[in-house]
C-alpha cells in the first residue's frame, strides 16, 4: 500500500471522530435555569414561560443550546442560585425577586417604591422599555449577570390580609401590626401608613398570624389563596401598594461563549417568553382575587382616590429611606419615578388616541 493510500485511510479513520467531536462542540452549550416556583403549567406564570423559552431556543439553535429547567427551589435559595450564575459553570440562569436582586444590584431597590404602578399596562410597558433595559444593564458590571426581562411575582400588585378589620382607608391601618419581608423599604412604608411592621422570613409567617405576633400581611392574591391565608386571617384588601417583581438573569461569561446567532436566539426567545408570562400573570391574579372574595370574610378593592392619598403619605417616607439610609442618589430616584410616570401617561394617551376615536 502506498504512502498516499495510507494517508487516505488514516483520514477516513479519523473522520468519524472528527464528526463526533464537531457534534459535541455544536451541542456543548447547556443552559440550566433555576426558579423557586414549581414546575406547574397552571399555578404560576414563570414555569410555562420557561417551557416556551426552552422550545424556542432549542428549535432556533438546532439543538446547539439545550435548556434545562429546575423549578421548586431544587438548586437552592435565590441568593445561592444567583451566586452560581455569576460563575456560569454549573448554573447559567436564575430568576430572583426584589429582595435577593437588590443584594446583587443595589439600584433594584427602587422597585420597592410604594404605589409605583397604576395598572398592568403601565408596569409591562415600563419593564419592556429600552429605558428599563438600559437601567438594568448595570447588572453586567456589578454582578457579571445579564438581564433578560422582568416577571410579575405572583401578579405584581399585592393585597393586605388581616385579622382585625377590613382596610378601606389609610386610617384603617392605624395600629395594625403587619408582617413584611425583611426589607427596610417595606418597613418604612408600613410605618408611614400608620401600621407597625414586623419583618419576618417567609417560613415564620403562618405561625406569626396564628399566634398573634402579626395582625396581617400583604402578598399577591395568588399567594394569599395558594397558601390559604384565609384560614389565619379574615379580611383582604387589594391596594397594590407594592408591586412584586422577579428579574431574569443569565451568566455574562456563559453568554459571551455563545455564537452571535445563539445569543440572538436566547435574547429574542426570552423576550417572547416574557410577553407570554404577562397575560398569564394577569389572568392568575384576577382569578385569585375572585377566589379571595369567596374565601375571606370580606374583601375590598381600594379606590383610585384612596390609593393616591396613601401614596402621598408613603412616598416621602420611602424616598427619605432610600436616599438617606440606603444611599441611592436623589437624582437617580427622581429619574426612575419620572420615567414610570411618563410611561403611564404615554400608554393612556396612546390607547385613547388609537382606540377611543
Amino acid at each position: 500500500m502506498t504512502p498516499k493510500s495510507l494517508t487516505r485511510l488514516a483520514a477516513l479513520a479519523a473522520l468519524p471522530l472528527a464528526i463526533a467531536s464537531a457534534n459535541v462542540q455544536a451541542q456543548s452549550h447547556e443552559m440550566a435555569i433555576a426558579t423557586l416556583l414549581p414546575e406547574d403549567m397552571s399555578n404560576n406564570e414563570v414555569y410555562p414561560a420557561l417551557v416556551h423559552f426552552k422550545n424556542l431556543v432549542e428549535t432556533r439553535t438546532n439543538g446547539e443550546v439545550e435548556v434545562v429547567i429546575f423549578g421548586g427551589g431544587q438548586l437552592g435559595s435565590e441568593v445561592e442560585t444567583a451566586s452560581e450564575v455569576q460563575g456560569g459553570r454549573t448554573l447559567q440562569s436564575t430568576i430572583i425577586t426584589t429582595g435577593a436582586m437588590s443584594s446583587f444590584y443595589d439600584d433594584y431597590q427602587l422597585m420597592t417604591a410604594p404605589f409605583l404602578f397604576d395598572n398592568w399596562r403601565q408596569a409591562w410597558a415600563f419593564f419592556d422599555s429600552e429605558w428599563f433595559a438600559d437601567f438594568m444593564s448595570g447588572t453586567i458590571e456589578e454582578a457579571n449577570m445579564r438581564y433578560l426581562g422582568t416577571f410579575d411575582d405572583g401578579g405584581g400588585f399585592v393585597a393586605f390580609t388581616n385579622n382585625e378589620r377590613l382596610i378601606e382607608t389609610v386610617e384603617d391601618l392605624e395600629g395594625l401590626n403587619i408582617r413584611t419581608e425583611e426589607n427596610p423599604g417595606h418597613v418604612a412604608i408600613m410605618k408611614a401608613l400608620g401600621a407597625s411592621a414586623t419583618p419576618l422570613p417567609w417560613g415564620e409567617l403562618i405561625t406569626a398570624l396564628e399566634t398573634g405576633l402579626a395582625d396581617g400581611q400583604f402578598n399577591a392574591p395568588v399567594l394569599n389563596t395558594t397558601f390559604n391565608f384565609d384560614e389565619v386571617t379574615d379580611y383582604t384588601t387589594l391596594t397594590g401598594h407594592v408591586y412584586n417583581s422577579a428579574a431574569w438573569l443569565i451568566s455574562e461569561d456563559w453568554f459571551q461563549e455563545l455564537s452571535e446567532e445563539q445569543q440572538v436566539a436566547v435574547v429574542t426567545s426570552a423576550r417572547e417568553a416574557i410577553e407570554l408570562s404577562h397575560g398569564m400573570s394577569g389572568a392568575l391574579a384576577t382569578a385569585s382575587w375572585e377566589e379571595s372574595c369567596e374565601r375571606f370574610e370580606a374583601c375590598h378593592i381600594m379606590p383610585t382616590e384612596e390609593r393616591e392619598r396613601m401614596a402621598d403619605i408613603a412616598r416621602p417616607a420611602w424616598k427619605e429611606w432610600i436616599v438617606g439610609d440606603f444611599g441611592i442618589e436623589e437624582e437617580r430616584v427622581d429619574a426612575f419615578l419620572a420615567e414610570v410616570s411618563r410611561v403611564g401617561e404615554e400608554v393612556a394617551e396612546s390607547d385613547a388616541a388609537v382606540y377611543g376615536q
Side-chain angles (χ1 to χ4, degrees):
M1 187 173 289
T2 65
K4 186 175 182 179
S5 298
L6 288 172
T7 300
R8 181 178 297 174
L9 282 174
L12 289 172
L15 185 58
L17 293 175
I19 293 174
S21 176
N23 287 337
V24 168
Q25 184 176 6
Q27 299 177 10
S28 62
H29 298 294
E30 179 177 278
M31 182 179 182
I33 308 175
T35 173
L36 292 185
L37 292 170
E39 296 176 359
D40 191 299
M41 295 295 286
S42 62
N43 69 4
N44 70 88
E45 73 280 1
V46 171
Y47 183 70
L50 293 181
V51 170
H52 184 55
F53 171 79
K54 170 183 170 68
N55 293 336
L56 289 176
V57 168
E58 293 181 350
T59 300
R60 289 171 175 174
T61 64
N62 295 315
E64 294 174 4
V65 178
E66 179 185 2
V67 178
V68 185
I69 306 164
F70 294 92
Q74 296 177 55
L75 302 185
S77 70
E78 292 179 322
V79 171
E80 289 169 339
T81 58
S83 296
E84 287 295 320
V85 169
Q86 286 182 302
R89 298 296 91 194
T90 58
L91 186 62
Q92 289 75 45
S93 180
T94 190
I95 296 156
I96 58 177
T97 52
T98 305
M101 184 65 216
S102 302
S103 300
F104 296 90
Y105 185 52
D106 288 349
D107 283 1
Y108 204 79
Q109 272 288 358
L110 289 169
M111 285 301 305
T112 64
F115 300 95
L116 186 60
F117 301 115
D118 294 326
N119 52 66
W120 279 312
R121 287 271 286 135
Q122 179 188 17
W124 297 338
F126 178 70
F127 289 139
D128 295 339
S129 69
E130 186 175 351
W131 190 97
F132 191 67
D134 182 66
F135 171 83
M136 291 298 293
S137 66
T139 61
I140 295 176
E141 181 177 351
E142 289 196 19
N144 199 38
M145 293 187 285
R146 177 176 292 263
Y147 166 77
L148 290 180
T150 299
F151 291 104
D152 306 314
D153 181 15
F157 295 109
V158 302
F160 281 107
T161 76
N162 83 95
N163 279 316
E164 296 297 319
R165 52 186 171 269
L166 189 63
I167 299 170
E168 297 181 281
T169 68
V170 65
E171 285 78 17
D172 293 325
L173 281 164
E174 188 71 34
L176 292 182
N177 186 359
I178 302 297
R179 175 267 176 184
T180 68
E181 295 179 8
E182 295 173 288
N183 187 317
H186 291 175
V187 173
I189 293 169
M190 287 300 98
K191 289 183 176 180
L193 293 175
S196 58
T198 300
L200 291 172
W202 175 260
E204 298 178 19
L205 175 51
I206 294 293
T207 301
L209 294 170
E210 288 176 330
T211 60
L213 178 61
D215 299 317
Q217 58 90 43
F218 56 85
N219 265 298
V222 174
L223 295 180
N224 292 340
T225 55
T226 298
F227 290 94
N228 302 314
F229 284 116
D230 59 291
E231 296 181 358
V232 290
T233 52
D234 298 324
Y235 309 101
T236 184
T237 299
L238 185 59
T239 55
H241 61 282
V242 168
Y243 195 96
N244 288 331
S245 64
W248 187 1
L249 305 165
I250 59 172
S251 163
E252 179 64 10
D253 288 345
W254 178 82
F255 184 76
Q256 293 303 330
E257 291 175 359
L258 303 179
S259 68
E260 183 177 348
E261 293 78 9
Q262 291 166 345
Q263 289 179 347
V264 169
V266 167
V267 169
T268 57
S269 299
R271 298 310 308 161
E272 183 168 330
I274 288 288
E275 290 298 314
L276 180 149
S277 77
H278 287 335
M280 190 168 187
S281 165
L284 285 170
T286 301
S288 295
W289 176 251
E290 291 301 303
E291 185 178 350
S292 292
C293 289
E294 295 174 2
R295 289 168 54 174
F296 284 85
E297 186 174 315
C299 69
H300 180 68
I301 297 178
M302 190 69 72
T304 300
E305 296 77 12
E306 189 62 22
R307 288 185 80 251
E308 290 175 350
R309 194 161 77 93
M310 295 174 74
D312 288 342
I313 297 170
R315 280 178 184 157
W318 170 84
K319 186 176 179 181
E320 182 179 352
W321 166 77
I322 203 163
V323 173
D325 295 342
F326 194 76
I328 294 183
E329 294 180 357
E330 185 172 5
E331 293 77 9
R332 190 150 175 81
V333 175
D334 290 340
F336 183 89
L337 296 177
E339 181 62 17
V340 171
S341 179
R342 188 198 67 77
V343 168
E345 293 173 359
E346 181 179 78
V347 167
E349 291 171 2
S350 175
D351 287 349
V354 174
Y355 299 100
Q357 301 301 317

